[in-house]
Amino acid sequence: MASLADLRGAESITLLDERCGDVGPGFVDTEPLDMFEDGWSDLRLDPEMLNESLRFEIAAHWESVRPLPEFSGEFRIPSPMEIVSQGPMPSVDMLSTGFQRDFVSQMRYFDNAYESSRGFMTFLRMDPGTSPLEVWFSDLVGTGADPYPPGYVRLDLTFTEYVETLLLTKGLYGWQYLFADVSFRDPALEHLADGLRDGLNAFPDLFPGPDYTPLLDRLEARR
């Protein structure tokens, strides 16, 4: 809610769309997880997720306006119940190897480009016996490496850390790559660097209080 209020109140930001759903069950109310998927009897959510206060869908799509340089952002965090009740993505059967099919069948998205045509998605890998659960980002097919499907990169974040950083960055396009083992000199990613730098440099004036220096340091470390 505070993140949406920040976007509404920021000068030189146009809020193109926003959503805030009804309060519903939290992650703690979704266990045991095998009622959603066979084979999840040994799956455990991260302990921090069970204490997660977010119990509703929240989403926003926004862009800067002059005199700021051009940058923009988007996010949609579904409700906990929507996250755990998803089935495997329909595209899983189109993948070329058994490993890739098994890998993608474990993915449940919890952030995506819900309004624009950018197509990015962030996933929890629902892998029994793994703690904390892995967070994976899928956007540009030129990223990633075998044996994983093209475009998938693992993020050095837990679910809770992802949500906290998402609300800090307001979904600034490309922020997820700041937590991946990538280089913005990669031709697949270099177009994102300017928007990230411009946005992070503008944020202290737009959203006073938080320290954005660690994010700028991560950007510079990947250039």
Side-chain angles (χ1 to χ4, degrees):
M1 294 292 288
S3 187
L4 291 180
D6 287 345
L7 289 168
R8 290 190 209 105
E11 295 184 6
S12 302
I13 292 290
T14 295
L15 189 55
L16 302 171
D17 185 71
E18 62 176 297
R19 299 183 186 182
C20 189
D22 296 331
V23 175
F27 284 114
V28 70
D29 303 310
T30 65
E31 295 189 322
L33 291 166
D34 56 357
M35 63 181 170
F36 298 100
E37 186 82 15
D38 291 340
W40 281 7
S41 58
D42 295 327
L43 180 65
R44 298 292 181 270
L45 299 178
D46 301 344
E48 294 84 1
M49 294 175 66
L50 301 179
N51 297 322
E52 180 66 53
S53 61
L54 190 64
R55 292 172 175 261
F56 48 85
E57 173 196 21
I58 184 170
H61 183 204
W62 57 270
E63 63 185 14
S64 65
V65 295
R66 293 179 179 178
L68 293 178
E70 292 184 7
F71 56 88
S72 54
E74 182 178 17
F75 64 88
R76 176 181 176 264
I77 307 173
S79 68
M81 190 62 70
E82 180 179 341
I83 293 171
V84 300
S85 62
Q86 301 165 27
M89 291 187 296
S91 61
V92 67
D93 293 331
M94 301 172 60
L95 295 167
S96 58
T97 70
F99 174 85
Q100 291 181 357
R101 290 190 289 274
D102 290 343
F103 172 79
V104 172
S105 70
Q106 295 176 325
M107 296 297 171
R108 299 295 183 270
Y109 80 86
F110 68 93
D111 185 20
N112 71 319
Y114 75 103
E115 189 180 63
S116 73
S117 59
R118 287 182 177 253
F120 72 79
M121 301 185 84
T122 307
F123 300 91
L124 266 179
R125 186 179 182 184
M126 307 296 263
D127 185 9
T130 301
S131 182
L133 296 175
E134 296 174 4
V135 174
W136 288 76
F137 184 61
S138 175
D139 185 17
L140 303 168
V141 295
T143 61
D146 288 337
Y148 301 99
Y152 282 81
V153 293
R154 185 176 174 181
L155 304 186
D156 185 23
L157 292 167
T158 65
F159 173 89
T160 301
E161 291 168 342
Y162 182 98
V163 172
E164 290 172 348
T165 311
L166 169 64
L167 297 178
L168 176 67
T169 63
K170 309 298 189 286
L172 180 67
Y173 285 125
W175 75 265
Q176 293 89 346
Y177 289 114
L178 300 177
F179 295 86
D181 184 14
V182 299
S183 168
F184 285 99
R185 296 183 185 276
D186 186 328
L189 296 175
E190 58 186 359
H191 68 287
L192 294 172
D194 288 343
L196 281 168
R197 185 185 63 250
D198 290 341
L200 293 174
N201 281 327
F203 276 9
D205 291 328
L206 291 170
F207 314 113
D211 181 10
Y212 298 97
T213 303
L215 297 175
L216 283 164
D217 290 344
R218 283 181 171 272
L219 174 59
E220 293 307 314
R222 287 161 175 76
R223 297 193 66 176

